[in-house]
Amino acid sequence: MSTSKLFSFTLGTLSAIGGFIDIGDLVADALVGARFGLRLAWVTVLAVVGIMCYAEMSGRIAAVTKRPAFDLARSRLGPRYGLVALVGAFLVTGLLVMAELSGIAFSFQLLTDISYLFWVPVAGLVVALFLWALPFEILERIYGIVGLSMLVFVVAVWQLHPDWGHLWHSATTPSPTPGETWPIYAFLGITLVGAQMTPYEMFFFSSGGVEHGWGPRSFAEMRTNVIVGFPLGGLLAIAIQAVALVVFYPAGIQVEHITQTVLPVVVALGKVGLAFAAVGIFAATFGATMETLFATGYDIAQYFGWSYGKLQPPAQAARFTAVTASLLFVSVALALTTLNPIQVTIVAVVFSAMLLPLAFLPVLLVANDHVVMGQYRNGKLSNAIGVVTLGVSCLISVAAPVLLVYTRGGSG
Amino acid sequence: MTAALWYLVWPPRTQAGYTHQAQQTIGKFRSQVATARLWGRELDRDHTFLATASVGLDEMETDATNTLDQFAAYQPPAGQEPMRTEVTTLGDAVVTDLGELRIAARQGRTATVVRKAKRLGDLLDRIDTTTSDVSS
């Protein structure tokens, strides 16, 4: 395989590392693993299948129409629907930018013992400089590849020499662990869905496809990105849950910090593992900062019909550039208020789960539109998975606020 | 929305609610102490940098302080003052021990951190005893 072919898959890897495994997932997976072991791993499997289906549809729409998902949502369902989806996505993704920036700062804190608050402005500056100075493709490749160091969590599972029978039993027992309740089990399942099926992954993936100039001939590349990227994210998520099960569950440890997420890697692999984990967290949160920033910029620019894109010089997409720069600045300021980024993330991913139907419905409708998609419209398999995923997301959007309050945010 | 927010911050008013809160508080103490002990053990095995362990220990001390403050702020229902005393006394011990660990780590005294972390086993035993007392 040529180097350019290999690198063409980095958008999927970036979507996986930065989208699937962001700060929300780093905390949610470890938290779930510590309390329920692998008993919610099936949620991750379903989330991977669902997000793969919708990412493929979004990528196909972008390749056929040369327009990304949100742009089509507005034209398909009208400006009011588009505005509701825009405001929802903006609030959730905006909060996530702040949390991801804090995640970058946490990765620096891990190795320096200097408060993350000191590193937040530094992280903002680094993000701004990189986004300004480096082309999209280079950024994508650097963070897609550096992010692979997150695989240290998979290695850690092996190195901890777990009882594989116990892991399998946990993964095939879809019920709460002793002492836990069904409402908390359901709430944390929803938290996982919100952390793993973020709408911005889809928007970023399809907008990135437009920037890459995808056409029908790019289907193989696009699908390979989907098939490689998201299952990779799912594998990492399950690995984090597994190491938390092995190290935390027997000791009764509850996870509330990123430092706790890396502790099993420290136990398994020592300082080398810790270094890989810190680099991986940096790459994942940096990638997620980039994705959330761009996804928000894309959403707003596409809704108002502005020119947008990282591939264009900033002067030619001045309003897009101004929106992303302003959001970055506001996020740095928000992070410096000492608002707990982990708690913000948990709330944001629950609200993100509630908004999923707003993101999925227009994509499903457009992907089935014969006039727009012609011969490339959805087949039976895509529709079956898409409809089931949409149905489940509708149930989640109703159950999430009730469970959020009833379980007091999962604390019981 | 107001009702939901009210429910989220509503303090325990019944004996059962207060006991449940006490059990949750002790569970958090156990988690914080067990995490700190693990950092100490990994430092002993030379599996982690002192700086990283120091971050972890600092977080556990801060969490323990917040956990203790939150529980202490609840008004105990009539007859449950002894439970409050037992849990807050335990919390004071947890915060003190974790604070000593954090101070030693920040001062670069690795051997002290390792020694004190090993002694957290006694504190975990005391936490288990308190758990039994509260549950009975």
Side-chain angles (χ1 to χ4, degrees), chain B residues 43 46-47 50 52 56 64 68 73 86 101 104 111 116 118 123 129-130 132:
Chain B
L43 203 54
D46 197 27
H47 263 206
L50 183 60
T52 310
L68 174 61
E86 189 170 6
L101 275 171
K116 285 182 181 289
K118 282 179 181 167
L123 189 55
T129 308
T130 310
S132 304

Side-chain angles (χ1 to χ4, degrees), chain A residues 110 113 254 257 259 271 411, chain B residues 24 31 46 52 54 59 63:
Chain A
L110 263 180
D113 192 19
Q254 302 165 18
H257 300 278
T259 45
K271 289 176 179 170
S411 65
Chain B
Q24 283 203 323
S31 167
D46 197 27
T52 310
S54 173
E59 286 171 349
D63 284 0

